[in-house]
Amino acid sequence: MTGTRIKADAIRADAMRLQELYRRPGFMIRRCHQVAVSVFANECREADLTSTQYGILFVLSQYPGIDQISLARLLCLDRSTTGMVVAKLEERDLLRRATDAQDKRKRVLRLTPAAEELLVRVQPDVRRAQERLLAPFTDSERETLLDLLARLVDADQPQDSRDLQSLAALEKTES
């Protein structure tokens, strides 16, 4: 009994020492990201779709013919990651890449009919993932959480946010 109690006390003491790490914003945000990715993967497992792949397909549904670099900027992804994910989606026959007629250096992207059908089919799964992720919060807390997260992102990247909004407006008028 005494050995078990000493072990439990030691575990509690270790956990207390780690609270300094566990309560750091960066650590908590990383853990929240892990939870969000896991929930999304679980809900969209039948479609074999990651949250990044979904984001790319969703943006392409809104901006058909957007170039790959603009897509990366809209999703705040680096070019390398975007290129890898786009290649995987192309292998799955979910998008087509073509050379831009005006600028031969650009690769423009369009959804295939299979991707359009997939987006419709996964909407209930995506909504369920969002609901599961936000389930611990009241409606008011959800709005507050999303507002605070947006403020945190905007505080660190205000110019990028304005650039993305301008790009989105520009792309919408061009299509």
Side-chain angles (χ1 to χ4, degrees):
M1 178 96 173
T2 307
T4 304
R5 183 178 183 122
I6 291 171
K7 194 173 191 176
D9 288 345
I11 290 171
R12 270 193 294 282
D14 284 344
M16 292 302 290
R17 284 194 300 267
L18 293 176
Q19 284 305 307
E20 180 184 342
L21 171 66
Y22 293 161
R23 294 292 295 175
R24 290 184 179 186
F27 183 88
M28 295 181 86
I29 290 168
R30 183 183 62 79
R31 284 291 298 129
C32 288
H33 180 256
Q34 289 173 326
V35 169
V37 167
S38 176
V39 168
F40 189 94
N42 184 271
E43 291 298 336
C44 295
R45 69 184 170 280
E46 287 182 28
D48 190 26
L49 197 64
T50 68
S51 58
T52 303
Q53 291 170 340
Y54 173 79
I56 287 174
L57 295 176
F58 181 83
V59 169
L60 291 177
S61 75
Q62 302 301 303
Y63 304 102
I66 192 173
D67 68 273
Q68 196 165 313
I69 293 170
S70 297
L71 171 70
R73 288 182 65 207
L74 281 172
L75 290 169
C76 302
L77 297 172
D78 61 79
R79 290 180 184 186
S80 175
T81 300
T82 304
M84 289 188 307
V85 177
V86 163
K88 184 167 180 94
L89 292 170
E90 188 176 36
E91 286 173 17
R92 290 180 60 189
D93 195 36
L94 295 174
L95 64 80
R96 299 265 187 267
R97 285 192 270 196
T99 304
D100 186 286
Q102 279 72 42
D103 185 347
K104 302 295 183 202
R105 297 169 296 171
K106 286 185 179 180
R107 304 276 295 193
V108 294
L109 309 169
R110 293 196 184 280
L111 295 179
T112 63
E116 291 169 355
E117 187 275 328
L118 177 65
L119 279 173
V120 170
R121 190 166 37 95
V122 299
Q123 283 313 301
D125 302 330
V126 171
R127 277 195 282 293
R128 206 168 32 257
Q130 291 171 356
E131 285 300 315
R132 279 185 52 199
L133 189 61
L134 296 173
F137 306 106
T138 65
D139 289 344
S140 175
E141 289 171 330
R142 290 175 183 198
E143 286 300 316
T144 300
L145 174 65
L146 295 174
D147 289 343
L148 290 171
L149 290 171
R151 188 185 322 166
L152 182 62
V153 169
D154 288 345
D156 187 53
Q157 304 288 329
Q159 186 58 49
D160 285 354
S161 295
R162 287 192 299 273
D163 289 348
L164 293 175
Q165 291 167 357
S166 298
L167 177 63
L170 176 66
E171 292 293 335
K172 198 68 166 175
T173 59
E174 289 179 354
S175 57

